Amino acid sequence: MHPTFEKILIVKLSSLGDIAHSLPVLCSLRKNYPKAHIAWAVESKFSDFLENHPDLDEIIEVQTQKWRRHWTPSSFMEAWGLIKSIRETEFDLVIDLQGLIKSSLITGFSGVAKRLGFQKNDCREPLSAWATNIKAPGTGHIPHIIDKNMALLEPLGVFREEPRFRVTTCKEASLYIEQQLAPTLKGETTKPVALHAGVGYPTKAWPLERFAALADHIHREFDAPILLTWGPQDRDRAEGIGKLMKEPFALAPETASLQHALALYQKLRLFICGDTGPLHLCVALNIPTVSIYGPTDPARNGPYGPIHEVLVKPQECSFCFKRTCPTEMECMKAVEVEDMLTAVRRRLQLAAGASTSGLTEGDIYGT
């Protein structure tokens, strides 16, 4: 029998992919505590990703990034006001899904008697374990971060469940994207295949000329509309692909919010990219993806589920998690256009209803 909680606070502040990986915990909490008030503390710039989620009652916006950059008396008062507001809510349970010092400060000073978190050795910053007094069993042996997050609920009597994301978009965002896409795709009725070259840091980048060659092949072989998507910092990479292409393409409309991005990705047939936040949004939306991994390990934080395919060509230095490469980015350059095209063919054929029988683990991960 589960312990009873009327008010639950989740602390997962960032980043976009990490928040997406934490959604199954929210869905599981709602399933097991259907009447509880569930709140989520999150960085303000990611808050609209959680808007309209059917399992969430409250979003508590946090601005730790701003506070750390400009630590002033005013910042202190803002931070203390946040803590005071959380304490006044009188939550029964707080769950630190982050395992960082910044999340531990919110957890530890929340005034909540029951504070659930990872074992010290399983925290990304071990010192953060000071803030929790209920520990999950050791999760170091669990490869994928989604399964690790789900295991955090075991002390509550909530054991392994099929992960769900249940992401929704607001009507206003969907209407905006429909209006923007109509002239962009020029009357196309077939869902587009999107290519997204933007990444968080350079070691995750696949060469633009390969994206362009892949897009040309896809258009010729499948007669699929090609949509080049981009985020606030990487429009130039999308435009760079377009300049190198020989076949028709469309540049995606600007997405001024994460709700706009979600509404855009819902319109896709397939999403092709590196290890980037939009990949995990598409996974949460159940949009098929083909992605390229090199410095990060897909076994830990790759797309979750059978409709996704990861291409990785392991090198001696693979999975280094470095933001700058001391050599020549061999792990990313090892993935050729033909490798990606084979994976794209497989995904598009499966999406069209072909049988999944006969696929091996090597097929799924492109090893």
Side-chain angles (χ1 to χ4, degrees):
M1 185 175 179
H2 303 308
T4 300
F5 298 111
E6 295 183 359
K7 297 179 182 179
I8 301 172
L9 172 63
I10 296 171
V11 180
K12 186 72 166 185
L13 307 177
S14 60
S15 61
L16 185 56
D18 290 338
I19 294 168
H21 288 148
S22 301
L23 287 176
V25 171
L26 169 62
C27 296
S28 187
L29 284 170
R30 176 57 68 206
K31 178 182 175 183
N32 288 276
Y33 298 96
K35 296 182 179 180
H37 177 93
I38 303 178
W40 190 312
V42 63
E43 287 285 351
S44 294
K45 69 177 183 178
F46 300 123
S47 63
D48 65 329
F49 174 43
L50 297 173
E51 282 183 16
N52 306 301
H53 196 288
D55 295 333
L56 189 62
D57 297 300
E58 180 184 2
I59 297 172
I60 299 174
E61 295 190 24
V62 180
Q63 300 192 61
T64 63
Q65 295 180 352
K66 185 191 83 170
W67 298 336
R68 285 182 294 170
R69 284 195 303 266
H70 307 288
W71 187 244
T72 64
S74 176
S75 299
F76 174 81
M77 293 305 297
E78 284 184 30
W80 177 245
L82 169 74
I83 295 297
K84 184 179 178 181
S85 175
I86 290 174
R87 294 174 72 93
E88 289 174 348
T89 303
E90 296 184 341
F91 288 98
D92 305 304
L93 173 70
V94 59
I95 303 174
D96 185 354
L97 272 167
Q98 195 111 40
L100 296 177
I101 297 299
K102 64 180 182 180
S103 61
S104 75
L105 293 175
I106 295 173
T107 302
F109 291 113
S110 65
V112 180
K114 295 182 178 180
R115 304 181 303 279
L116 174 61
F118 295 108
Q119 297 280 347
K120 182 177 180 179
N121 291 339
D122 293 328
C123 291
R124 289 166 60 186
E125 294 178 349
L127 288 177
S128 67
W130 74 270
T132 56
N133 57 8
I134 305 173
K135 310 291 187 184
T139 59
H141 64 288
I142 300 176
H144 202 282
I145 190 64
I146 287 180
D147 293 321
K148 178 179 177 178
N149 288 340
M150 294 289 283
L152 187 58
L153 299 182
E154 289 186 12
L156 307 182
V158 178
F159 295 93
R160 181 72 172 85
E161 298 180 348
E162 187 64 28
R164 299 177 302 154
F165 297 90
R166 289 168 54 80
V167 174
T168 60
T169 57
C170 66
K171 292 181 180 179
E172 293 79 6
S174 297
L175 179 61
Y176 167 81
I177 290 299
E178 287 175 4
Q179 292 171 340
Q180 295 297 313
L181 276 184
T184 300
L185 295 178
K186 300 176 182 178
E188 285 279 2
T189 57
T190 304
K191 286 187 174 183
V193 172
L195 292 90
H196 188 98
V199 287
Y201 41 92
T203 51
K204 295 182 177 182
W206 200 49
L208 295 185
E209 61 271 18
R210 297 191 188 183
F211 270 113
L214 176 62
D216 284 337
H217 279 295
I218 294 170
H219 185 272
R220 287 194 293 265
E221 184 169 335
F222 293 96
D223 194 28
I226 299 297
L227 188 67
L228 305 180
T229 59
W230 51 281
Q233 308 300 323
D234 42 51
R235 178 171 181 152
D236 59 329
R237 288 185 62 79
E239 292 175 338
I241 295 173
K243 291 176 182 178
L244 294 169
M245 286 182 61
K246 299 176 182 178
E247 301 294 335
F249 70 92
L251 190 68
E254 181 179 9
T255 51
S257 69
L258 290 173
Q259 282 290 311
H260 286 169
L262 289 168
L264 174 64
Y265 300 149
Q266 279 188 321
K267 303 293 184 183
L268 302 179
R269 184 177 176 187
L270 180 69
F271 190 74
I272 302 167
C273 60
D275 177 16
T276 182
L279 165 65
H280 304 295
L281 298 190
C282 286
V283 173
L285 289 166
N286 207 36
I287 301 299
T289 68
V290 174
S291 54
I292 313 156
Y293 273 65
T296 51
D297 187 356
R300 180 188 180 277
N301 63 350
Y304 197 101
I307 67 171
H308 310 289
E309 189 153 352
V310 174
L311 271 291
V312 58
K313 293 289 186 72
Q315 309 293 305
E316 288 185 3
C317 56
S318 289
F319 316 141
C320 65
F321 288 87
K322 292 181 179 178
R323 299 195 174 200
T324 58
C325 181
T327 56
E328 299 294 328
M329 293 176 58
E330 295 92 333
C331 60
M332 296 301 292
K333 293 179 180 178
V335 179
E336 301 286 351
V337 172
E338 186 58 39
D339 299 324
M340 289 292 289
L341 185 58
T342 299
V344 168
R345 288 190 187 112
R346 193 154 47 222
R347 287 301 109 192
L348 291 177
Q349 289 166 0
L350 290 172
S355 172
T356 59
S357 62
L359 290 184
T360 66
E361 185 174 340
D363 292 324
I364 298 299
Y365 287 96
T367 52

